[in-house]
Amino acid sequence: MTGEPAIAIAALRKEYVPSLTFGRLLTLHWTREPVVAIEHLDLAAQAGKITAIVGPNGAGKTTLLKLVGGLLLPTSGSLRVLGMDTTDRPEDVRAAVGYCMTEGRSFFLRLSGRENLRFFAALHGLSGPKRDDRVSGLLHTMELTEVADRQVLSYSDGMKQRLALARALLGAPRVLLLDEISRGLDPRLREKVLRHVRDLAAVEGVTVLMASHNLDEVKALAHRVLVMDQGRTLADGTYDDVAPAVAAVFAEREMGTEMGTDTNFRGKLVSVPISPAGGGH
Amino acid sequence: MTARAFAIRAAAFLRRDFLFRWSYKFSFLYDIGALFSSLIALFFTDRMLADAPPRSVAAYGTDYFTFALVGIAFLDYMWVSMRSFAQQVRFAQFTGTLEAMLATPTHPFTVILCQAAWPYLWTTIRAALYLVLGACVFGADLSNVNIASAALFLVLMVVTFAGIGLTSAAVTLYLKQSDPVTALVGGVSFLFGGIVYPVESLPGILQDVAWTLPMTHAVEGLRRAFLSGATPMDLWDHAVVLVAWAAVSFVLAFVALRQVMKALSREGSFGAY
């Protein structure tokens, strides 16, 4: 790295083209109207900093995470992670990135938590004692050791969420992508997980990009907040800088009661203290 | 990717699928039971034909049981090669695990290839059980086997049908539904490939159709390797046909998978089903 941001995005655009189906093939309906998920996004996330993406459903948050994680290709624009273009070097990007997806179904439910992590560790190229030590260490960190040998089928949502974070950390990533990280966690575990994420950034220099609906979590963690709606960037700055934009976008969508722990979030937003995560970028 | 890196991943897929299958223990017993019932059915069909064995079977210098045993033992390689890639990909789409696997640094081709590691291992165990039980319990005479020829034709058969199977996986990945062409190829191969009855038993026009199929050449090569001890040189003509099929099917699979991966990355529908 030579001063380049850990995540450098310029004029990024992503369109989803509906899949071609047998039905479309047979009825000769081959023309497909693309849906714009992200439109002209710029972002420079510095190493060791936490950037939160906030916005209502359909804002493009998860799409952005998948693009940075090398799971999707941009339609146009430039996207570099640790100096690597995600289109040219997707495997190298994925080796450097840990993606914590919310989907609890993304595990093999009839296998134990430990076996799931062993499997995904192998996909990161880990084997033998090194793999087993890494898996045991992460199970311990996520307080899953006691249930490690139980089928994931029997896990609560909170357990699956912690297992998902453990999986994202298997490859010791330098960039961590978090999608609704605290969903399903009780307050004590939520605090522990958030502290762990904060330490990863502060102590180990991991760059974190997190999508969240929970403004308490964003306020507690993020150095910088990106507000998105319908694929467009509405505001970009510290939590305080963007609070009015967040209030506006959610008021427009009438989603106030879904936000954070405070049902009167709009009043809270305009009076939040400045940068609890330790300053801007 | 190095051979070691590939082996680490293939071993992980094997372990995962073994543990998954083991969590449904009854299915193991069911598989073994089905294998026994096939052998018993062949055995009694052979007894029925004992007084007047078909000329086309006698030409192989063996009885009907041993003739059909070789066909049945290796039939599963065709099915597993053609079906397992697409089935496993479809299962991973449904369970939501495909995207999680593709989020790792492992290349998508490797993920798709390794998905079939367990089905191939289990098929190999079943084929070995067929042959061992057929010889030891039901008295099939496999003493003339030419191991080199048998191995050659097994490899050619697996590669040929894996190419078709990988192409099917690409279609399944993209269209999110089973590929009917593969089922058709499998069905035609089973009917006309000379698996449980010789190709010579078919009407003339169907014999011509049969000899265009890779399955017919694979089974003929395996059968002559097992029953007559034919050497690879004796079977070169069948081997050439299979090599041609293998080359075409693998190039097709490679192109199809490459295009589908690109399209899915553009469309963002890896996880969709």
Side-chain angles (χ1 to χ4, degrees), chain A residues 131-144:
Chain A
R131 174 197 58 196
D132 294 344
D133 290 348
R134 182 87 185 137
V135 167
S136 296
L138 286 167
L139 286 167
H140 177 73
T141 305
M142 296 298 149
E143 293 190 18
L144 289 168

Side-chain angles (χ1 to χ4, degrees), chain A residues 225-266:
Chain A
V225 182
L226 195 71
V227 186
M228 293 179 71
D229 189 23
Q230 295 180 318
R232 292 188 303 272
T233 306
L234 299 185
D236 181 1
T238 63
Y239 187 80
D240 262 10
D241 294 339
V242 303
V246 179
V249 72
F250 283 103
E252 196 175 298
R253 295 291 189 95
E254 296 178 349
M255 287 181 62
T257 53
E258 293 180 19
M259 301 293 294
T261 54
D262 188 346
T263 53
N264 189 23
F265 82 102
R266 270 175 271 172

Side-chain angles (χ1 to χ4, degrees), chain A residues 1-9 43-49 80-84 174 207 224 281:
Chain A
M1 292 260 303
T2 53
E4 185 173 353
I7 303 171
I9 301 175
L43 175 71
Q46 301 299 334
K49 299 292 181 188
R80 296 171 69 82
V81 177
L82 302 171
M84 300 177 284
R174 290 167 63 198
T207 307
R224 178 181 182 183
H281 53 94

Side-chain angles (χ1 to χ4, degrees), chain A residues 83-107:
Chain A
M84 300 177 284
D85 191 295
T86 58
T87 304
D88 298 337
R89 298 171 62 186
E91 279 81 38
D92 293 333
V93 169
R94 289 199 293 268
V97 171
Y99 182 15
C100 179
M101 39 185 84
T102 44
E103 182 56 86
R105 287 188 324 123
S106 67
F107 289 106

Side-chain angles (χ1 to χ4, degrees), chain B residues 52-76:
Chain B
R55 259 187 303 125
S56 48
V57 170
Y60 288 90
T62 189
D63 53 62
Y64 176 75
F65 179 82
T66 311
F67 169 88
L69 175 70
V70 174
I72 288 285
F74 293 100
L75 172 66
D76 278 356

Side-chain angles (χ1 to χ4, degrees), chain A residues 16 24 27 45 47 59 69 94 97 103 113 131 159 195 217 228 243 274 276:
Chain A
Y16 284 121
R24 281 173 175 276
T27 54
R94 289 199 293 268
V97 171
E103 182 56 86
R131 174 197 58 196
M159 289 174 187
R195 195 168 54 241
E217 178 180 300
M228 293 179 71
I274 293 173

